[in-house]
């Protein structure tokens, strides 16, 4: 019987984007006590299962819902409809600086980030030398991370997330900001985690990484699951569709619909 680390069941998520103020006398009368907004459907009835020990790559154009899905799995966001079941400790690499305090040193932020993952100070202490060595930050580990470049942020975040024994690792394009040598080092670490039976959910626009690194690909299109299956087939279909839309001038992002609503 198959076991799953992550189960996403019919999940939908809508964001409100407020726009403009009531400028004219007519608008102030018509919309008194109300505000205008548009709704953007980020996820529309999305379902998928991540089998324990598998690596799943998520592809799709910007605005298709990839990052929103990872944030819901990591419980940064919550779905408006549907449910998500996560069975295991999650480490997330979603946004640069997330889980870090800019005025703390790199070393202090290792303890902070580890505590957010539910680990004790003693547990983090066993791993801290390994984390610092892998990050290659040297003397900068003693400096406030507000002085770090985006690449240095990524080094620290990846080193912490992968060293503290997560059962599920979520990665959202963060590796793209690193230099080539460290990116290779990161991919080697991820392959080690694969061998240890960890589950990895990987968002990337790098089709080669999806094809070579992932067991399954998920193509999100207009906030819905368009295809799930073999990475090479899925990536090929996605790239052909994307190029066709670009050639036809149909790749511009739009809101799904707009409504007027009472102000909160």
């Amino acid at each position: 019987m198959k076991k799953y680390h992550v189960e996403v069941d019919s999940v939908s998520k809508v964001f409100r984007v407020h726009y403009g103020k009531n400028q004219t006398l007519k608008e102030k009368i018509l919309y008194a006590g109300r505000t205008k907004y548009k709704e953007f459907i980020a996820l529309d009835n999305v379902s998928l299962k991540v089998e324990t020990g598998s690596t799943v790559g998520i592809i799709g154009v910007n605005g298709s819902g990839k990052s929103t899905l990872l944030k819901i799995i990591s419980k940064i966001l919550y779905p408006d409809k549907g449910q998500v079941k996560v069975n295991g400790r999650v480490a997330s690499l979603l946004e640069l600086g997330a889980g870090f305090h800019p005025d703390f040193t790199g070393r202090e932020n290792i303890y902070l980030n580890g505590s957010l993952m539910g680990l004790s100070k003693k547990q983090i202490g066993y791993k801290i030398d390994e984390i610092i060595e892998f990050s290659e930050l040297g003397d900068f580990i003693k400096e406030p991370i507000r002085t770090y470049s985006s690449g240095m942020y990524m080094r620290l975040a990846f080193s912490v997330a992968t060293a503290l024994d997560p059962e599920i690792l979520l990665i959202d394009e963060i590796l793209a900001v690193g230099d080539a040598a460290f990116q290779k080092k990161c991919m080697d670490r991820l392959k080690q985690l694969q061998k240890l039976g960890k589950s990895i959910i990987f968002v990337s626009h790098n089709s080669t990484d999806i094809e070579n690194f992932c067991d399954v690909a998920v193509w999100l299109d207009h906030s819905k699951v368009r295809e799930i299956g073999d990475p090479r087939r899925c990536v090929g279909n996605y790239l052909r569709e994307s190029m066709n839309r670009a050639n036809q001038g149909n790749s511009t992002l739009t809101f799904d619909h707009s409504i007027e609503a009472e102000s909160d």
Side-chain angles (χ1 to χ4, degrees):
M1 183 177 179
K2 291 184 178 180
K3 295 183 178 180
Y4 300 98
H5 261 150
V6 178
E7 297 177 71
V8 179
D9 183 16
S10 304
V11 163
S12 295
K13 182 67 179 177
V14 177
F15 293 104
R16 290 182 180 181
V17 181
H18 294 266
Y19 65 98
K21 293 183 178 180
N22 299 326
Q23 302 289 346
T24 67
L25 178 61
K26 179 180 178 181
E27 287 178 332
K28 290 178 180 179
I29 293 173
L30 290 175
Y31 301 107
R34 293 184 295 168
T35 184
K36 293 174 286 186
Y37 67 83
K38 293 182 179 181
E39 286 192 341
F40 178 72
I41 302 174
L43 294 173
D44 187 2
N45 198 38
V46 169
S47 296
L48 65 94
K49 293 182 178 181
V50 178
E51 190 174 347
T52 299
S54 66
T55 300
V56 175
I58 303 179
I59 56 176
V61 299
N62 292 328
S64 60
K66 304 184 301 298
S67 296
T68 300
L69 179 58
L70 289 194
K71 288 177 180 177
I72 287 177
I73 293 172
S74 64
K75 292 184 168 55
I76 294 174
L77 298 174
Y78 291 89
D80 296 320
K81 296 180 181 178
Q83 62 179 352
V84 176
K85 294 180 181 179
V86 178
N87 305 304
R89 186 166 67 244
V90 177
S92 303
L93 292 164
L94 304 184
E95 295 179 357
L96 287 174
F100 292 116
H101 192 293
D103 293 325
F104 289 1
T105 67
R107 187 182 186 89
E108 291 168 337
N109 270 290
I110 292 173
Y111 283 98
L112 173 62
N113 206 264
S115 66
L116 293 175
M117 292 174 62
L119 300 175
S120 68
K121 185 176 181 180
K122 187 176 182 179
Q123 288 174 310
I124 301 167
Y126 287 137
K127 291 283 188 176
I128 193 165
D129 289 339
E130 176 189 336
I131 292 168
I132 294 172
E133 181 180 358
F134 188 91
S135 72
E136 301 176 352
L137 287 173
D139 293 337
F140 281 96
I141 202 68
K142 302 175 183 177
E143 299 299 320
I145 65 168
R146 55 181 160 76
T147 64
Y148 285 15
S149 67
S150 58
M152 292 165 70
Y153 263 111
M154 187 277 287
R155 284 171 175 264
L156 184 61
F158 185 91
S159 301
V160 173
T162 57
L164 296 180
D165 196 29
E167 294 168 283
I168 305 160
L169 183 62
L170 310 179
I171 306 175
D172 186 4
E173 284 290 344
I174 190 172
L175 299 184
V177 302
D179 58 75
F182 196 76
Q183 283 184 25
K184 182 181 183 304
K185 187 175 180 180
C186 290
M187 294 303 293
D188 290 341
R189 169 64 69 86
L190 292 178
K191 290 175 182 177
Q192 291 175 3
L193 293 177
Q194 285 180 319
K195 292 179 181 178
L196 292 172
K198 310 298 184 180
S199 297
I200 302 171
I201 304 177
F202 189 79
V203 167
S204 179
H205 287 291
N206 188 324
S207 58
T208 301
D209 284 345
I210 298 292
E211 290 177 345
N212 295 336
F213 183 65
C214 298
D215 302 309
V216 176
V218 179
W219 174 13
L220 290 182
D221 185 34
H222 288 92
S223 309
K224 298 181 179 181
V225 174
R226 176 73 176 268
E227 183 177 347
I228 298 178
D230 175 73
R232 291 186 182 277
R233 185 188 72 244
C234 197
V235 166
N237 292 338
Y238 159 66
L239 292 176
R240 281 190 293 274
E241 180 73 10
S242 298
M243 292 304 298
N244 288 338
R245 289 179 183 174
N247 292 334
Q248 295 169 10
N250 294 328
S251 56
T252 302
L253 298 176
T254 61
F255 287 96
D256 295 86
H257 62 275
S258 60
I259 63 174
E260 294 170 358
E262 299 292 335
S263 58
D264 296 329

